[in-house]
């Protein structure tokens, strides 16, 4: 079975500071991993995904994530936070169990950006 | 092009009533998913439709929940005899044949259900 754990339900950074949102996964097969962002009262938007190949994945809005198999991690980073990055971020893994195709989500991390 | 749309955006109902939530996927997307987002449980998978195959209902929490997809497009999620613990945001997502296998899904804005 697959699962993801997001460390920290709330993260606060200053504008211009590094953003680091942590995600660890558990999977018995090579995982497909995702980061989604949710702005208030909106649905989820795909930031980036890892399937195979290059372990450093670049996404939209300047975000990137690195797949580290040895650490079972897929942390999301952005060098310089903007006020517009304030949102909730979800890490997810694709389910290869009984329902191939659905996503299994972490609990989410709410990012606040201080001016 | 148009994204995934859901209606209504908000629904308030009384305990014990039935509700229907609607999802219009992106045109041409054969895969359709329902998820539930609640404070206590986070984002949970409910049900998955892929083309003409039998849906995967493994995430439905009880037999009060059901969903159908007519003509391979619009889907309706029905909750019978609603309970207060059903209060949540219900999200629909769709995916095209090429992307479904890699897990990329496009989400609608959700329906916020409040059961009084």
């Amino acid at each position: 079975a697959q699962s993801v754990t997001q460390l920290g339900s709330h993260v606060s950074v200053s504008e211009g500071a590094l953003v680091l949102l942590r995600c660890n996964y558990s999977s018995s097969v090579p995982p497909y991993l995702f980061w989604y962002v949710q702005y208030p009262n909106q649905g989820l938007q795909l930031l980036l995904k890892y399937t195979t190949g290059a372990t450093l994945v670049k996404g939209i809005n300047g975000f990137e994530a690195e797949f580290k198999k040895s650490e079972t991690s897929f942390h999301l980073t952005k060098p310089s936070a903007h006020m517009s990055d304030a949102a909730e971020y979800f890490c997810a893994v694709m389910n290869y169990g009984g329902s191939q195709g659905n996503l299994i989500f972490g609990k989410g991390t709410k990012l606040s950006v201080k001016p | 092009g148009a994204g995934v749309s859901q209606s209504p955006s908000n629904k308030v109902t009384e305990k014990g009533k039935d509700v229907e939530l609607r999802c219009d996927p992106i045109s041409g997307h054969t895969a359709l998913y329902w998820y539930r987002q609640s404070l206590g449980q986070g984002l949970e998978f409910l049900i998955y439709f892929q083309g003409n195959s039998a849906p995967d209902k493994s995430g439905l929490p009880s037999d009060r929940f059901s969903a159908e997809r007519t003509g391979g497009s619009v889907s309706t999620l029905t909750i019978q005899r609603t309970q207060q613990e059903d209060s949540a945001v219900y999200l629909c997502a769709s995916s095209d044949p090429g992307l479904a296998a890699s897990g990329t899904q496009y989400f609608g804005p959700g329906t916020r259900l409040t059961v009084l």
Side-chain angles (χ1 to χ4, degrees):
Chain A
Q2 288 75 39
S3 66
V4 291
T5 302
Q6 291 183 243
L7 299 177
S9 58
H10 280 88
V11 170
S12 182
V13 300
S14 297
E15 192 172 20
L18 171 72
V19 176
L20 171 60
L21 304 182
R22 299 179 186 273
C23 173
N24 287 89
Y25 70 90
S26 174
S27 179
S28 55
V29 298
Y32 284 7
L33 294 161
F34 306 81
W35 277 99
Y36 279 84
V37 60
Q38 186 177 35
Y39 297 101
N41 301 314
Q42 295 187 26
L44 279 72
Q45 180 182 5
L46 179 66
L47 272 179
L48 49 81
K49 68 177 181 181
Y50 169 79
T51 53
T52 57
T55 57
L56 181 62
V57 181
K58 294 187 184 298
I60 62 171
N61 301 338
F63 284 93
E64 62 182 37
E66 187 171 10
F67 170 68
K68 291 188 177 180
K69 183 178 178 181
S70 61
E71 299 178 7
T72 62
S73 69
F74 191 58
H75 303 329
L76 182 71
T77 61
K78 182 174 180 178
S80 176
H82 294 163
M83 297 297 292
S84 59
D85 294 328
E88 190 157 19
Y89 293 79
F90 293 90
C91 183
V93 63
M94 186 168 170
N95 181 20
Y96 285 96
S99 173
Q100 183 171 353
N102 70 284
L103 298 174
I104 298 170
F105 288 92
K107 296 291 188 185
T109 297
K110 190 163 289 187
L111 175 67
S112 300
V113 182
K114 299 175 291 186
Chain B
V4 178
S5 61
Q6 293 186 244
S7 61
S9 55
N10 280 284
K11 177 72 177 179
V12 180
T13 191
E14 294 179 347
K15 178 181 173 180
K17 301 282 190 183
D18 298 351
V19 295
E20 288 188 348
L21 312 179
R22 177 187 169 104
C23 172
D24 280 278
I26 294 171
S27 178
H29 282 194
T30 59
L32 187 147
Y33 314 79
W34 283 98
Y35 296 87
R36 178 170 70 174
Q37 184 175 24
S38 57
L39 281 177
Q41 301 299 322
L43 271 156
E44 304 171 278
F45 162 71
L46 296 177
I47 189 169
Y48 164 45
F49 296 88
Q50 173 60 279
N52 295 321
S53 302
D56 184 330
K57 306 177 183 180
S58 60
L60 295 178
S62 78
D63 58 8
R64 296 186 296 104
F65 288 73
S66 63
E68 62 178 19
R69 189 176 185 192
T70 54
S73 181
V74 172
S75 177
T76 302
L77 177 69
T78 300
I79 309 173
Q80 296 178 308
R81 305 181 302 281
T82 52
Q83 304 295 312
Q84 287 182 331
E85 61 262 28
D86 299 334
S87 295
V89 176
Y90 290 82
L91 293 166
C92 176
S94 71
S95 188
D96 75 19
L99 291 174
S102 69
T104 300
Q105 300 175 15
Y106 297 87
F107 284 79
T111 293
R112 182 175 298 276
L113 174 66
T114 303
V115 182
L116 302 176

